[in-house]
């Protein structure tokens, strides 16, 4: 296991998910991060499928991380009506055959793990959340004072000045649990929002995917296989032969902030009406950083470099 006191310690909260899978492989490939555990949340598929997908990736690529299963429904108790199988396939991983997975998730829940790990490393843990914010909101609600002990939260979610991707206003991770998002925004924990403003223009072309994954071992084969479904979805939306690397962009913002331009403000989540799930600036107090622009060329070059170093065939 990568572990060093100088490394940034983080928990990866995720709903794998095709782009989550790519983000996890990228995260693992970045050598100066100390990943303390993976927590799962429902979103791209059911919580059972998302957890199974995290375990599948860990087993197939020998990633040495424990997986903690998290929330299967939203903060207000609502069950999901339909998972986005048109983006991520029915099992959340492009309907790849996962076969038998011999490792299991931990008995401890994701929320209990987040609370325990933050308490034990007060001021040192970054939460990198690329799904709905349900687990983090539950941890904040269940452990008063936890907000003061989290170093930073980096999320993939939201849309400030661009349109949403579920409704005209709302991005998927925020739209999936607006109450959780608002709880996290209100918590006062330093937060970086990596939303569609930064991710929609941070795309990888299909040709580039073929090229770079062709230079990788089994990780390359895996990414090419699962990406088919994701590419088809984006083609149907008019993004032909390329795809936004949503969750990987949040990983890159965490690891290489110099590739991004941010603005500061006080982000809130709209909870009612047709704009439900919208992220908007309430005022200009510098409570949150919102990532507005990514340097696509540097992001892709860095992606290539670390992926080849880690998984180069
Ligand atoms: C986000 O929604 C999910 O489908 C993706 O995994 C990503 O986290 C993009 O809006
Ligand atoms: Ca995700």
């Amino acid at each position: 296991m990568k572990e060093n006191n100088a490394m940034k310690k983080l928990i990866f909260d995720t709903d794998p998910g095709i782009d989550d899978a790519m983000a996890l492989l990228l995260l693992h490939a970045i050598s100066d991060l100390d990943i303390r555990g993976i927590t799962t949340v429902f979103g791209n598929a059911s919580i059972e499928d998302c957890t199974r997908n995290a375990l599948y990736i860990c087993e197939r690529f020998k990633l040495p991380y424990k997986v903690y299963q998290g929330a299967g429904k939203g903060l207000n108790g609502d069950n999901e009506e339909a998972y986005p199988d048109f983006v991520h396939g029915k099992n959340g991983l492009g309907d790849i055959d996962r076969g038998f997975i011999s490792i299991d998730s931990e008995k401890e829940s994701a929320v209990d793990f987040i609370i325990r790990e933050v308490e034990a490393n007060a001021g040192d843990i970054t939460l990198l959340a690329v799904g709905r914010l349900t687990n983090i909101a539950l941890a904040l609600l269940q452990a008063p004072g936890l907000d003061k002990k989290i170093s930073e939260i980096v999320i993939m979610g939201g849309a400030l000045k661009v349109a949403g991707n579920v409704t005209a206003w709302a991005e998927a991770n925020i739209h999936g649990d607006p109450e959780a998002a608002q709880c996290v925004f209100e918590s006062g924990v330093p937060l970086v929002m990596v939303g569609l403003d930064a991710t929609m223009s941070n795309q990888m072309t299909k040709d580039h995917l073929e090229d770079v994954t062709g230079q990788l071992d089994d990780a390359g084969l895996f990414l090419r296989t699962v990406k088919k479904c994701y590419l088809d979805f984006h083609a149907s939306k008019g993004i032909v032969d390329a795809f936004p690397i949503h969750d990987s962009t949040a990983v890159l913002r965490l690891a290489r902030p110099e590739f991004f331009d941010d603005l500061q403000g006080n982000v809130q989540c709209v909870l009612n009406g047709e704009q439900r799930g919208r992220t908007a600036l309430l005022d200009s107090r510098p409570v949150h950083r919102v990532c507005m622009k990514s340097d696509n060329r540097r992001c892709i070059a860095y992606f290539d470099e670390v992926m080849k170093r880690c998984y180069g065939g």
Side-chain angles (χ1 to χ4, degrees), residues 15 17 19-20 44 84 87-88 130-131 156 165 171-173 196 230 246-247:
D15 61 334
D19 62 327
D20 301 71
N44 288 325
V87 188
H88 298 272
V130 296
M156 189 284 127
N165 59 2
E171 180 280 334
N173 290 337
L196 301 180
Y230 200 69
H246 293 300
D247 291 348

Side-chain angles (χ1 to χ4, degrees), residues 69-308:
Q69 179 160 298
K73 55 187 176 183
L75 202 62
N76 62 9
D78 286 353
N79 284 309
E80 189 62 32
E81 281 161 20
Y83 296 107
D85 54 3
F86 47 93
V87 188
H88 298 272
K90 284 196 172 37
N91 72 359
L93 221 43
D95 293 327
I96 191 172
D97 178 7
R98 295 173 299 200
F100 174 72
I101 305 167
S102 70
I103 57 172
D104 221 333
S105 58
E106 301 299 299
K107 295 223 161 20
E108 186 178 26
S109 74
V111 173
D112 288 350
F113 169 68
I114 291 170
I115 295 171
R116 179 170 64 78
E117 192 65 18
V118 171
E119 298 278 6
N121 299 275
D124 274 349
I125 298 286
T126 296
L127 303 177
L128 173 59
V130 296
R132 296 162 193 217
L133 294 170
T134 321
N135 291 334
I136 298 177
L138 286 168
L140 288 165
L141 292 171
Q142 284 175 28
L146 199 75
D147 53 326
K148 303 279 182 300
K149 299 176 184 162
I150 298 168
S151 165
E152 186 176 49
I153 301 174
V154 178
I155 68 164
M156 189 284 127
L160 197 63
K161 296 190 176 170
V162 296
N165 59 2
V166 174
T167 69
W169 303 101
E171 180 280 334
N173 290 337
I174 304 295
H175 184 265
D177 196 347
E179 282 74 20
Q182 179 59 4
C183 173
V184 172
F185 287 135
E186 279 178 337
S187 70
V189 179
L191 180 143
V192 183
M193 177 174 125
V194 185
L196 301 180
D197 304 87
T199 66
M200 281 310 291
S201 56
N202 204 17
Q203 298 188 3
M204 182 180 286
T205 65
K206 188 179 172 191
D207 286 349
H208 190 87
L209 177 76
E210 290 291 324
D211 179 29
V212 69
T213 57
Q215 299 174 57
L216 308 181
D217 59 12
D218 189 39
L221 174 65
F222 169 73
L223 287 175
R224 277 196 305 281
T225 310
V226 297
K227 280 289 175 195
K228 282 197 187 94
C229 180
Y230 200 69
L231 278 159
D232 288 348
F233 166 72
H234 284 97
S236 77
K237 295 284 170 197
I239 305 177
V240 181
D241 291 338
F243 58 95
I245 53 168
H246 293 300
D247 291 348
S248 293
T249 302
V251 173
L252 291 160
R253 173 59 180 74
L254 177 107
R256 292 296 174 266
E258 65 273 21
F259 294 173
F260 297 87
D261 292 336
D262 300 341
L263 64 74
Q264 294 192 72
N266 182 15
V267 180
Q268 303 288 296
C269 181
V270 176
L271 298 179
N272 298 305
E274 65 160 352
Q275 295 188 16
R276 181 169 160 79
R278 177 183 181 187
T279 47
L281 284 185
L282 187 66
D283 54 57
S284 60
R285 276 181 299 139
V287 183
H288 309 113
R289 299 190 80 90
V290 183
C291 200
M292 297 304 291
K293 199 164 165 256
S294 51
D295 185 331
N296 179 247
R297 194 187 54 76
R298 288 171 88 194
C299 284
I300 298 295
Y302 181 74
F303 177 92
D304 293 357
E305 177 195 323
V306 296
M307 293 296 277
K308 284 186 214 165

Side-chain angles (χ1 to χ4, degrees), residues 40-72:
T40 59
V41 65
F42 76 116
N44 288 325
S46 70
I47 186 61
E48 290 78 16
D49 268 321
C50 289
T51 304
R52 227 169 276 145
N53 292 342
L55 291 166
Y56 172 78
I57 296 162
C58 286
E59 181 163 76
R60 178 161 168 181
F61 300 105
K62 302 188 174 47
L63 310 190
Y65 312 120
K66 290 181 176 168
V67 175
Y68 300 82
Q69 179 160 298

